[in-house]
Amino acid sequence: RLAGAEGRLDELVEALAQAGPVLLTGCGSAYHAALAGAYYFSRLAGRLTHAIAASELPYRIPAAPPTKEKAHQKEAGAPGAPWLIAVSQSGETIDVLDAVRAARAQGMRIAAITNVQGSSLFRLADIPVLIGAGPERAVLATKTFTAQVTALAQAAWRLAGRREEGRLAVDRAANACDAVISSHSASPR
């Protein structure tokens, strides 16, 4: 149930099917969504990925200057090109943007899972996936965290060639959440 993300999610899955190493990054709740995403890619799609906190990522990617070959991979999307999936609610988190710039300098392709169209992260990404969760109205990022995890899980299901199974799993989870909310709002206080 991701509003408007379907086409870009399919594009991301196609790119990841041909990708070399894949890293995920974020800060705070977005980092925890990235951790869940790394688990889903490993468990569902059999694809080893690593989640690294955005503040650490610039220090943990290779420090060699980009080569012409890396630049060609980035531009052409050649098989084996490394990818970074950056997760951010606002698309303006400075540590995430610094991580994206460091990864880009090393020849990595960039995907963004974000909630804000036109944000800095959205514009920096080769493939921006807009989750469409709407604005957060509290400190807790409940809607965006759920949408970020959903987008990453859907990508993993699709990468595994189990798109319909993934759609049904998300629908079951959404229906279960709806049932809990309905029963809570119907119960006397």
Side-chain angles (χ1 to χ4, degrees):
R1 298 183 186 186
L2 291 171
E6 292 298 316
R8 296 318 299 257
L9 207 51
D10 286 337
E11 186 180 347
L12 174 59
V13 169
E14 288 176 27
L16 294 179
Q18 301 297 316
V22 177
L23 300 176
L24 293 96
T25 195
C27 289
S29 59
Y31 171 62
H32 287 91
L35 286 168
Y39 173 81
Y40 287 135
F41 281 112
S42 176
R43 187 79 172 162
L44 298 173
R47 178 63 193 261
L48 181 63
T49 60
H50 298 283
I52 300 173
S55 60
E56 296 178 17
L57 192 121
Y59 309 105
R60 298 199 40 203
I61 56 177
T67 64
K68 288 183 182 179
E69 180 181 318
K70 283 183 184 177
H72 172 72
Q73 284 180 336
K74 182 178 81 61
E75 289 174 21
W83 276 84
L84 174 67
I85 302 173
V87 184
S88 172
Q89 186 285 131
S90 68
E92 299 296 343
T93 307
I94 194 68
D95 285 344
V96 173
L97 297 174
D98 287 347
V100 164
R101 289 181 184 108
R104 171 86 69 210
Q106 296 305 316
M108 295 182 80
R109 304 273 324 263
I110 308 298
I113 307 290
T114 187
N115 196 40
V116 181
Q117 186 169 5
S119 65
S120 296
L121 180 59
F122 186 91
R123 292 189 315 271
L124 285 170
D126 297 298
I127 301 176
V129 178
L130 190 62
I131 57 173
E136 286 290 358
R137 303 228 186 269
V139 173
L140 300 175
T142 51
K143 292 187 308 181
T144 52
F145 175 78
T146 303
Q148 290 163 346
V149 170
T150 300
L152 292 166
Q154 286 295 299
W157 282 106
R158 292 172 190 193
L159 189 59
R162 298 162 60 189
R163 180 186 190 114
E164 184 62 17
E165 192 176 344
R167 187 191 64 74
L168 292 172
V170 168
D171 283 349
R172 281 192 305 274
N175 291 336
C177 289
D178 288 345
V180 168
I181 291 168
S182 294
S183 69
H184 178 71
S185 61
S187 63
R189 294 182 185 210

